[in-house]
Amino acid sequence: MQAFRDRRMQIAGVAGLCGTAALLLSDRIDVIPFARGATDIQHRISALQETLPADQGDGSLLEEVTFDGRVVTLQLLADARVGMDAWRNRKDATRCQMWKSALRSRQVSAVEYRYRVAGSVSSVFIDRGVCG
């Protein structure tokens, strides 16, 4: 009971509760961008690189994944079945599912999907604004 009356213990308890709440809410709010380690994105990229080349199921083949410290670039080879207008108009939720946490924690500033179709290159970028 004496610990509850001690002012220093009360302050330490409140500070502990605030710190715990901030860490638990770090996925929802962006006040603690360092809460997750920067190695999370490196592991995700390494896992993607181990499976290359990977069929994406929509007529495209993931050939290369690179990360320059800010932007993740996924280079895909697509055949004529992949319509870029349809891809751009697809729901953002399906595109953002993999990268949302990395974008929110600012480990990555953008993700570029770079498609090569019949000799031309077309890119689509997603960022925090798209995956917010």
Side-chain angles (χ1 to χ4, degrees):
M1 292 305 279
Q2 189 66 13
F4 293 118
R5 293 186 186 133
D6 187 11
R7 178 65 72 193
R8 286 180 279 165
M9 292 299 287
Q10 291 174 354
I11 292 171
V14 169
L17 285 174
C18 290
T20 302
L23 286 174
L24 290 174
L25 293 174
S26 66
D27 282 344
R28 302 251 181 228
I29 55 177
D30 296 323
V31 295
I32 307 175
F34 57 85
R36 285 194 167 76
T39 59
D40 290 349
I41 192 67
Q42 295 296 340
H43 289 297
R44 187 172 298 160
I45 290 169
S46 296
L48 282 172
Q49 288 173 339
E50 289 174 2
T51 63
L52 296 179
D55 183 28
Q56 300 300 301
D58 61 353
S60 63
L61 183 71
L62 181 62
E63 292 182 320
E64 186 178 355
V65 179
T66 58
F67 181 55
D68 67 0
R70 293 183 52 241
V71 178
V72 175
T73 303
L74 293 104
Q75 296 183 18
L76 298 113
L77 176 63
D79 60 15
R81 294 182 298 164
V82 177
M84 291 308 294
D85 292 332
W87 195 91
R88 286 185 180 110
N89 294 331
R90 200 176 342 165
K91 286 191 168 195
D92 294 333
T94 57
R95 284 184 267 175
C96 294
Q97 185 176 7
M98 181 185 300
W99 304 106
K100 187 173 185 173
S101 63
L103 288 166
R104 290 187 83 175
S105 64
R106 299 187 180 157
Q107 295 175 16
V108 174
S109 63
V111 179
E112 175 188 10
Y113 287 86
R114 185 180 300 164
Y115 283 88
R116 283 189 304 129
V117 181
S120 66
V121 176
S122 184
S123 291
V124 179
F125 288 86
I126 58 173
D127 60 4
R128 288 172 45 106
V130 174
C131 296

